[in-house]
Amino acid sequence: EYTQLLYLPSKAPFDLWNRDKKAGIKLYVKRVFIMDDAEALMPTYLRFVKGVVDSADLPLNVSREMVQGSQTAARIKKTLTARVLKEINELANNDAEKFATFWKEFGIFFKEGVATDPSAKDDIVPILRFHSSTQADLTTLATYVERMKEGQDEIYYLVANDVASAKQSPHLDAVVSRDLEALLLVDVV
C-alpha cells in the first residue's frame, strides 16, 4: 500500500545527462521522511520524473540497501513506471502540441529506456518518435508501418548526426529512388 504524487517538469534540468544523478523520487514511510532520491523506485531513463511516494508497507528503519533489495520497492517501481508511461502515452494521443514540446525535452530518454529496460519495451515503443525521409513531422513506428508499401517487410533507417545530414546522405538515394520511406535516426542513443 502506498500513495504517490508524481509530476513531469516542463524543462529538462541542466544535470539530467548525468546518469549518476539519482531519480527525483522522495520516499516516506507512514508519513516519515526516509530518503531523497530513492533510485530503487524509478528506472534511470525516467530520472526526470519528480515526486513523493509514501508507503505503509516498508519498515520505518529502512536503509538504502534494504529498499534496493525489497520486493515491495520492486513492485512500487514497476507500478510507478507503468503509470508514468501510461500518462505520457495518453499525453501523446490526446495533446499532440504539448507532447511535441515534452518530446523535444525528454524524448531521447525513452530511446535509452528501450535499450536499458526490456521489460517496459512494449509500453515505451508507442511513445517513441522518429524523423522520416518523407514526413515533415515526427512519426511513430506504428504509423511508419501503416505507410509501408505493399510487399515491403523491412524497416529502412539511416543513422546520421542530424536531420540535414541524413537527408543529404547518398545512402538515402537508394531508398528514395524506390519510393520508400526511411526513418532518420539522429539521436545519440
Side-chain angles (χ1 to χ4, degrees), residues 31-50:
R31 296 188 180 145
V32 175
F33 177 74
I34 302 299
M35 71 177 74
D36 271 333
D37 306 328
E39 65 268 7
L41 298 180
M42 195 61 66
T44 306
Y45 66 93
L46 291 177
R47 57 189 172 272
F48 56 87
V49 175
K50 303 293 181 200

Side-chain angles (χ1 to χ4, degrees), residues 153-164:
D153 55 355
E154 296 93 12
I155 293 177
Y156 294 98
Y157 64 92
L158 179 71
V159 178
N161 291 333
D162 55 47
V163 176

Side-chain angles (χ1 to χ4, degrees), residues 69-118:
S70 166
Q71 290 294 332
T72 303
R75 275 185 255 129
I76 291 172
K77 177 181 180 177
K78 184 177 180 182
T79 307
L80 290 177
T81 302
R83 180 61 188 247
V84 168
L85 294 175
K86 178 181 175 248
E87 292 296 326
I88 292 170
N89 222 334
E90 286 179 13
L91 177 66
N93 294 332
N94 298 332
D95 192 346
E97 186 177 315
K98 198 180 249 185
F99 181 75
T101 304
F102 172 80
W103 182 259
K104 191 178 290 185
E105 290 290 323
F106 302 106
I108 196 166
F109 298 102
F110 293 97
K111 293 180 180 181
E112 174 188 331
V114 169
T116 60
D117 189 4

Side-chain angles (χ1 to χ4, degrees), residues 1-9 23-28 41-42 46 48-55 76 79-81 83-84 87:
E1 180 182 330
Y2 66 93
T3 350
Q4 68 195 13
L5 175 62
L6 303 175
Y7 71 94
L8 303 171
I25 305 297
K26 298 183 185 325
L27 176 63
Y28 287 76
L41 298 180
M42 195 61 66
L46 291 177
F48 56 87
V49 175
K50 303 293 181 200
V52 177
V53 173
D54 185 7
S55 174
I76 291 172
T79 307
L80 290 177
T81 302
R83 180 61 188 247
V84 168
E87 292 296 326

